Amino acid sequence: MRRRLLAALSGAALAISLAACSGEGAGGGGDTSSAKPGDLTIGVSMPTQTSERWIADGNSVKEKLQAKGYKVDLQYAGDDIPTQSQQIDQMITQGADVLVIAPIDGTALSGQLQAAAAAKIPVISYDRLIRNSPNVSFYVSFDNYKVGVAQADALLVGLGLLTKDGAKGTATGPFNVELFAGSLDDNNAGFFFNGAMDTLKPYFDAGTLKVKSGQTKIEQAAILRWQQETAQKRMEDLLTSSYNDGSKVDGVLSPFDGLSRGIITALQNAGYRGGAKMPVVTGQDAEVASVKLINDGVQSSTVFKDTRLLAEQAVIAAEAFLRKEEPKANETKAYDNGVKVVPAFLLPVQTVYKEDIKSVLIDSGYLTEQEVAAGRAG
């Protein structure tokens, strides 16, 4: 708590300092609309390198900006809030012209954004919405509510209650399912969970699906920082407390591949192994380790969000700000960060089952056959 307070005070002090300079010097002080790309710097702040998707995101944004000639300051914060705050402070003092930020905690950067506003630096919130600040200029992400819908649909398809084309399946249930959600400090987690729960509600109401643990609220299902080990421990606890009477888990709603792998480990350790014995487990992000599990028939599905396209939208938005223009938004109502409705550009998503791996992931160049076979990148 003390470290967070110090970081916030540092950001506030920086804002005052920059305001006193009337925006000259650090970032945004000049007319970037006529500047050469090589004279401009974009600061890119990513939350962690423990997830392969964030490594891919950071690299994609950097490569696409550098290909256009811009200088890029890419920093990873190691899932540590004070580190991310300090890194963004440094980007501002070193003269970044635009900031692209995927926050660890969407509520923890108000001081840094105040400093950015004082220096007239536009802030693009990347995939995770930055909350409680009027100084978020734009948001690029996927349609996160539809991600939750897609995950719920994939659970229903895996259980046989739906077909892939949305028709009614042949299964009747009832099925025991358990629910997992993302980190509560990530704004996306609520969209994922709400999309899924709205889709599953008719099945709960009809008794076709049952949550044997009774843990149906997002606060009960949430996994702080999206940690795989925490998800594994929660699944172990659910099995011990709610399935010690010989009953079985039929499906698990998981919002992220990293959580899915922890859940699967807990299930396997409890005797769920291979074929029909493994419950249906959903996922998100098409991480290569999980794609291998899907290919091997262990994990049921994943929601693919093409981060190459997301990086491209971040670059398009950054260039618009550098031209002193407003980026094109396709959603202007849904993303209220608690202070303002942030204009957004949302991208579509795609559910990937085993039979889709080649056409969606390999043929598009996102993964190679060798990576899928090995379960690791490169």
Side-chain angles (χ1 to χ4, degrees):
M1 180 65 71
R2 184 175 181 271
R3 294 176 70 193
R4 182 182 295 187
L5 178 61
L6 289 173
L9 290 172
S10 172
L14 179 60
I16 295 169
S17 173
L18 291 174
C21 295
S22 300
E24 295 179 2
D31 182 7
T32 57
S33 63
S34 59
K36 296 178 181 179
D39 296 329
L40 300 171
T41 299
I42 289 83
V44 180
S45 175
M46 291 287 153
T48 183
Q49 288 176 296
T50 59
S51 168
E52 69 183 48
R53 77 141 293 187
W54 291 115
I55 298 173
D57 277 90
N59 289 337
S60 290
V61 174
K62 182 177 181 179
E63 289 166 5
K64 290 180 186 299
L65 286 168
Q66 287 183 332
K68 292 177 174 288
Y70 298 103
K71 292 180 286 187
V72 181
D73 182 5
L74 170 62
Q75 300 286 336
Y76 289 90
D79 265 331
D80 184 66
I81 295 167
T83 297
Q84 186 168 46
S85 299
Q86 291 159 11
Q87 288 172 343
I88 294 170
D89 282 340
Q90 187 176 47
M91 290 175 185
I92 294 168
T93 58
Q94 291 182 348
D97 296 285
V98 177
L99 292 173
V100 178
I101 302 172
I104 297 167
D105 181 336
T107 66
L109 296 173
S110 57
Q112 284 64 42
L113 265 62
Q114 183 181 350
K120 301 180 182 178
I121 304 172
V123 174
I124 299 169
S125 190
Y126 186 94
D127 199 41
R128 296 175 173 179
L129 182 63
I130 300 171
R131 296 189 55 79
N132 299 340
S133 173
N135 302 312
V136 184
S137 309
F138 200 70
Y139 180 44
V140 293
S141 189
F142 297 88
D143 192 323
N144 296 310
Y145 182 88
K146 289 184 179 178
V147 170
V149 171
Q151 290 169 345
D153 283 343
L155 179 65
L156 297 171
V157 169
L159 292 170
L161 293 168
L162 284 182
T163 64
K164 285 180 64 177
D165 61 5
K168 185 177 180 180
T170 57
T172 58
F175 296 109
N176 292 323
V177 298
E178 294 297 333
L179 311 173
F180 281 71
S183 190
L184 292 179
D185 55 13
D186 181 347
N187 192 69
N188 289 351
F191 280 92
F192 299 152
F193 195 76
N194 291 340
M197 293 300 283
D198 288 349
T199 304
L200 297 176
K201 186 178 186 301
Y203 297 88
F204 290 133
D205 291 346
T208 308
L209 297 180
K210 298 180 178 180
V211 180
K212 198 163 185 292
S213 69
Q215 297 185 16
T216 59
K217 298 184 182 299
I218 189 171
E219 293 81 6
Q220 297 169 308
I223 302 297
L224 182 64
R225 301 283 184 271
W226 303 87
Q227 289 297 312
Q228 180 173 330
E229 298 80 6
T230 308
Q232 179 177 337
K233 177 64 165 58
R234 179 169 182 263
M235 191 71 240
E236 290 169 349
D237 291 344
L238 291 173
L239 291 170
T240 300
S241 63
S242 301
Y243 295 87
N244 56 4
D245 57 359
S247 57
K248 297 295 183 182
V249 183
D250 298 303
V252 182
L253 178 78
S254 170
F256 165 54
D257 286 342
L259 303 190
S260 306
R261 293 194 297 275
I263 292 163
I264 287 168
T265 298
L267 290 166
Q268 288 176 331
N269 290 343
Y272 293 84
R273 288 184 175 273
K277 293 183 179 180
M278 175 57 66
V280 175
V281 181
T282 63
Q284 179 182 188
D285 282 345
E287 292 197 342
V288 65
S290 285
V291 174
K292 182 181 189 305
L293 290 175
I294 295 169
N295 200 45
D296 292 343
V298 179
Q299 185 171 322
S300 176
S301 63
T302 188
V303 174
F304 175 48
K305 304 191 307 187
D306 194 336
T307 55
R308 296 168 298 183
L309 301 180
L310 185 60
E312 190 173 294
Q313 284 302 321
V315 173
I316 290 170
E319 288 200 296
F321 283 124
L322 291 171
R323 293 193 302 268
K324 303 301 181 182
E325 299 172 359
E326 290 296 320
K328 177 184 176 182
N330 61 7
E331 174 54 70
T332 58
K333 297 179 181 179
Y335 287 90
D336 186 335
N337 77 348
V339 177
K340 64 181 282 190
V341 176
V342 182
F345 193 97
L346 305 182
L347 292 160
V349 299
Q350 188 169 1
T351 305
V352 174
Y353 302 91
K354 180 176 181 177
E355 60 268 26
D356 304 310
I357 291 173
K358 185 177 187 306
S359 61
V360 176
L361 300 178
I362 295 174
D363 291 350
S364 71
Y366 191 79
L367 295 174
T368 68
E369 289 186 8
Q370 293 77 17
E371 287 173 328
V372 172
R376 60 178 180 271

